[in-house]
Amino acid sequence: MDVQPVSTMSQDLSPPPDNTLLIVDDDRAFLQRLARAMEARGFEVDAAASVEEGLGMLKRRPPAFAVVDMRLDDGNGIDVIATLKELRPDSRAVVLTGYGNIATAVTAVKIGAVDYLAKPADADDVYNALVASPDDKAPPPENPMSADRVRWEHIQRVYELCNRNVSETARRLNMHRRTLQRILAKRAPK
């Protein structure tokens, strides 16, 4: 994540009237950098490194905003978003997702998240997603995923849905098992 100097941040730095923000991410270095960056942008930040810790903070004081990673060591960020929407329906949540989690991020948007961003996310992108007007359409990405990357993401999603069972994934994708194994052994395309 790029934490930029205050002079190059988003144009409108005035935080909303209720500026409470919960950030839930198990990457502690990223969590600390993002928390500092959001505090510099005027938010009152609570940071949690697990689903359990995040749920505890939510129940004590449901925030107006949340930034939640999907894959956490002790569970799924969807649980945090679902609880937030129950406790505070007017809240705005942004989902952070890594590889192979686009389908999960879409699920999070369906239950109430306003946007999802691929990790590592830039602090300005997170800020803009949090404070964007609900009527504004997101600008197209400057560097969209390549067709190879989209294919790889889809294969990873199906693989995860099949509980990482190569034979079942190959069957569902109508692909030879060895071909799938070769794809899974390679790094993600750019």
Side-chain angles (χ1 to χ4, degrees):
M1 177 187 83
D2 274 342
V3 178
Q4 299 176 357
V6 175
S7 62
T8 62
M9 281 190 245
S10 300
Q11 299 299 328
D12 179 20
L13 290 179
S14 57
D18 183 351
N19 63 350
T20 55
L21 169 66
L22 173 66
I23 303 173
V24 183
D25 198 307
D26 54 4
D27 179 344
R28 291 188 187 274
F30 177 80
L31 178 64
Q32 290 172 350
R33 286 192 312 267
L34 185 58
R36 279 194 309 267
M38 291 299 109
E39 284 172 349
R41 286 162 173 80
F43 285 98
E44 185 182 326
V45 178
D46 285 329
S50 67
V51 171
E52 182 181 347
E53 191 179 347
L55 291 174
M57 289 179 176
L58 278 180
K59 290 174 183 168
R60 281 193 300 279
R61 182 177 76 161
F65 299 91
V67 177
V68 181
D69 188 11
M70 280 291 86
R71 273 198 189 167
L72 297 158
D73 288 339
D74 67 337
N76 194 319
I78 287 181
D79 299 335
V80 176
I81 293 171
T83 302
L84 175 61
K85 284 302 181 179
E86 286 174 16
L87 297 174
R88 188 162 181 177
D90 66 327
S91 63
R92 294 180 55 86
V94 172
V95 175
L96 298 179
T97 180
Y99 74 93
N101 267 344
I102 300 300
T104 309
V106 170
T107 301
V109 169
K110 287 180 180 177
I111 65 167
V114 294
D115 204 348
Y116 67 90
L117 301 170
K119 284 180 84 174
D122 179 80
D124 285 335
D125 293 338
V126 172
Y127 177 83
N128 291 334
L130 286 171
V131 300
S133 167
D135 299 329
D136 289 346
K137 290 184 178 178
E142 255 184 64
N143 297 316
M145 284 192 281
S146 68
D148 289 337
R149 177 64 187 229
V150 171
R151 177 178 180 257
W152 187 85
E153 290 276 353
H154 175 68
I155 290 169
Q156 290 294 322
R157 180 178 59 88
V158 174
Y159 183 56
E160 291 295 326
L161 291 171
C162 292
N163 295 319
R164 304 177 72 86
N165 181 316
V166 174
S167 296
E168 179 63 16
T169 304
R171 186 186 67 74
R172 289 183 184 217
L173 291 172
N174 197 24
M175 179 183 289
H176 194 277
R177 187 178 54 80
R178 288 191 183 200
T179 302
L180 176 61
Q181 285 175 316
R182 282 192 297 275
I183 292 170
L184 293 172
K186 293 180 183 177
R187 288 183 167 266
K190 298 277 181 190

